[in-house]
Amino acid sequence: QVQVVESGGGLVQAGGSLKLSCTVSGLTFARHGMAWFRQAPGKARERVSCMTFYGGSIQYTPSVKGRFNISKDNAKNTLYLQMNSLKPDDTAMYYCAPSRTELEACSTSFQDYYWGQGTQVTVSS
């Protein structure tokens, strides 16, 4: 059974930083593409960033490019999202999403991912 557990969210002032973590169990972490999504109240879920299983072909949604950085530690089965220069518009529930299929990466279909419970990020102005 795949388990996805996010942590690191919280309340931060605009311009501040947070680092989200996500531990994954129940699959071979190093062989799965990984992604971070977010969903703000009343808005659609959007993919923030994704990477291939080997850590390459990293993509960011334009609104976070240059401010957020995705990384992973295969030895710890952990995915990270370093978020800098946070803005109120970054306020959302953030979800870590391992790909369901080995070697698949950056799918645009929600059903191609496993999901955790999310971690809330709130940025005050």
Side-chain angles (χ1 to χ4, degrees), residues 2-110:
V2 176
Q3 290 190 317
V4 179
V5 180
E6 303 96 335
S7 62
L11 174 64
V12 63
Q13 288 188 329
S17 298
L18 282 174
K19 187 173 184 177
L20 306 183
S21 299
C22 168
T23 57
V24 182
S25 60
L27 52 74
T28 306
F29 184 84
R31 292 181 59 82
H32 288 257
M34 303 294 295
W36 285 98
F37 287 76
R38 68 184 179 185
Q39 188 167 18
K43 294 187 177 181
R45 187 170 296 192
E46 69 167 339
R47 194 180 68 198
V48 175
S49 183
C50 64
M51 67 193 316
T52 60
F53 71 97
Y54 58 86
S57 300
I58 291 175
Q59 299 178 28
Y60 296 98
T61 192
S63 63
V64 309
K65 197 171 293 185
R67 300 188 296 121
F68 289 13
N69 183 65
I70 189 173
S71 63
K72 67 172 185 168
D73 185 337
N74 289 336
K76 296 182 179 180
N77 283 12
T78 301
L79 179 73
Y80 303 100
L81 185 68
Q82 176 68 48
M83 306 186 295
N84 300 322
S85 303
L86 283 161
K87 304 175 181 180
D89 283 349
D90 294 319
T91 295
M93 185 70 79
Y94 283 71
Y95 299 91
C96 167
S99 64
R100 286 186 173 270
T101 304
E102 284 191 355
L103 309 185
E104 186 172 304
C106 295
S107 170
T108 57
S109 175
F110 296 153

